[in-house]
Amino acid sequence: MTAVLDNAGPVAAEGAGTDGVRLASWPARAGAFAIDVLAPAGLIVTATLVAQGTDLGKWLWWAVYAGGLVLLVAVSCVNRILLPALTGWSPGRSVFGIRVVSSAGDAGLGRLLLRDLAHLLDTAAVFVGWLWPLWDSRHRTFADLLTSTEVRRVDRPESDVRRRVGAMLLTLALLSGIAVGLGYLLVYRQDRAVDQSRAQIAEQGPRIVEELLSYGVDSVDADFSKAQALTTDNYRQQLVAQQDAVRKAGPTTNDYWAVSSAVLPGVTKDAATMLVALQGQRGTNPQELKFITATVRVEFKKSDDHWLVDNLTVLKRPVLSGGGQ
């Protein structure tokens, strides 16, 4: 760091070194960086955020993040390392007429790679390294000092680079706009599907629970079969075990109806959870009827166009009253 301070000194923004070499200004370097890195990053970050807003599984989100990061690193390496090593220019540097050079001449592939890795130190030092060219006598960052490079003003290539880079930036802007538009449509469709699912389960859920738990002594087999058809494979085996226990104990009429219900947060287009408060009556003899109250938590899954019970948890066990008690 002592060497850095020894080389520091006030300079003009577009000045020249003591040897008359034209040095690149900090705004020109920042503009080149914006074209080479920030513009592609804007498109990649936009696409990643759009993907995040869609109905993806958690592991797919991580895959999108990792893919976006890898793509950003790859684009940056091509713009800032590979193209300058092959042609002497990056898109951004060609627009501003600047070039990275070493004491021996043009910076090669290896030195450019080390320089970009060394920029991590510029960032780690609370971005002070990126601002160091504002007062360094040779307009250098910490990375330039470590790799013996500097950025100079040179004549632009003869080809119309500004038009080509402008076309590239316009294309990136259009792609970002398309990504935002698609994201809006996808998120809108997803939100609409969730709203439809919430409305469906709010209407159908209590009726499904009533049919699942109700049965008559004279139609128990048909009622049990109908109840099984209202469940997923995940819950059906548990329901069958409960029905077998009822048969073994001797079935009687068991009639439930929902008195209140609430759809819980976390609804998706094919899954929902709700609380249902139930009342009912058990028995067939009017003088021996037992009245029932219970509260259950029910998880639903959508199969094709039908909602099925995927799990049922009794939160408040049935309380019986009446019937001579």
Side-chain angles (χ1 to χ4, degrees):
M1 190 59 68
T2 302
V4 173
L5 296 176
D6 289 343
N7 284 279
V11 295
E14 281 286 345
T18 57
D19 53 1
V21 173
R22 296 185 302 165
L23 300 172
S25 69
W26 190 90
R29 296 177 63 164
F33 183 84
I35 293 175
D36 291 337
V37 178
L38 298 185
L43 173 60
I44 295 171
V45 171
T46 299
T48 302
L49 293 176
V50 167
Q52 181 182 8
T54 59
D55 188 13
L56 297 177
K58 185 176 181 180
W59 69 272
L60 282 178
W61 283 351
W62 283 110
V64 169
Y65 295 149
L69 180 60
V70 170
L71 182 59
L72 178 57
V73 171
V75 171
S76 299
C77 288
V78 169
N79 281 347
R80 291 178 55 83
I81 300 173
L82 184 59
L83 287 178
L86 296 177
T87 67
W89 301 97
S90 72
R93 292 169 189 159
S94 65
V95 169
F96 288 92
I98 62 177
R99 180 178 292 181
V100 178
V101 299
S102 68
S103 56
D106 287 342
L109 181 64
R111 192 183 297 268
L112 289 171
L113 176 59
L114 290 176
R115 181 176 181 271
D116 263 28
L117 291 176
H119 275 314
L120 295 175
L121 296 177
D122 295 324
T123 305
V126 200
F127 297 97
V128 171
W130 292 100
L131 300 175
W132 203 260
L134 292 172
W135 52 79
D136 181 77
S137 61
R138 304 293 295 187
H139 297 195
R140 293 167 296 184
T141 63
F142 293 166
D144 289 320
L145 291 165
L146 290 172
T147 58
S148 300
T149 58
E150 62 184 20
V151 185
R152 297 178 181 175
R153 295 170 56 198
V154 295
D155 294 333
R156 296 186 184 90
E158 295 181 0
S159 57
D160 193 356
V161 295
R162 289 190 172 185
R163 178 175 297 178
R164 287 189 294 173
V165 172
M168 179 192 76
L169 295 178
L170 179 60
T171 300
L172 291 175
L174 289 175
L175 290 175
S176 296
I178 292 172
V180 170
L182 289 175
Y184 174 80
L185 291 176
L186 290 173
V187 171
Y188 171 76
R189 290 180 60 186
Q190 178 181 328
D191 289 345
R192 185 177 178 184
V194 169
D195 290 340
Q196 290 177 342
S197 295
R198 184 181 291 107
Q200 289 174 357
I201 207 64
E203 178 184 358
Q204 301 176 23
R207 308 289 83 80
I208 294 175
V209 174
E210 291 172 355
E211 294 184 31
L212 183 76
L213 300 178
S214 300
Y215 51 87
V217 66
D218 297 327
S219 58
V220 63
D221 291 336
D223 292 338
F224 281 1
S225 296
K226 183 178 181 180
Q228 293 172 23
L230 298 174
T231 62
T232 64
D233 294 338
N234 178 59
Y235 183 66
R236 188 171 299 118
Q237 189 173 6
Q238 181 179 344
L239 177 66
V240 170
Q242 295 170 353
Q243 292 174 341
D244 290 342
V246 170
R247 283 194 178 96
K248 185 176 181 180
T252 186
T253 296
N254 205 62
D255 192 15
Y256 275 107
W257 58 89
V259 292
S260 66
S261 61
V263 180
L264 298 181
V267 177
T268 67
K269 65 180 182 180
D270 55 8
T273 304
M274 74 184 316
L275 297 178
V276 183
L278 298 161
Q279 290 183 354
Q281 61 185 26
R282 180 173 299 171
T284 55
N285 188 336
Q287 283 75 35
E288 297 180 355
L289 287 179
K290 291 182 172 60
F291 299 98
I292 314 168
T293 59
T295 303
V296 296
R297 181 179 186 271
V298 190
E299 298 174 16
F300 294 92
K301 289 288 181 68
K302 197 171 189 178
S303 177
D304 296 328
D305 293 329
H306 304 287
W307 287 98
L308 302 175
V309 175
D310 191 55
N311 193 28
L312 187 148
T313 304
V314 178
L315 301 180
K316 181 180 178 182
R317 300 209 56 88
V319 177
L320 282 68
S321 60
Q325 291 187 352

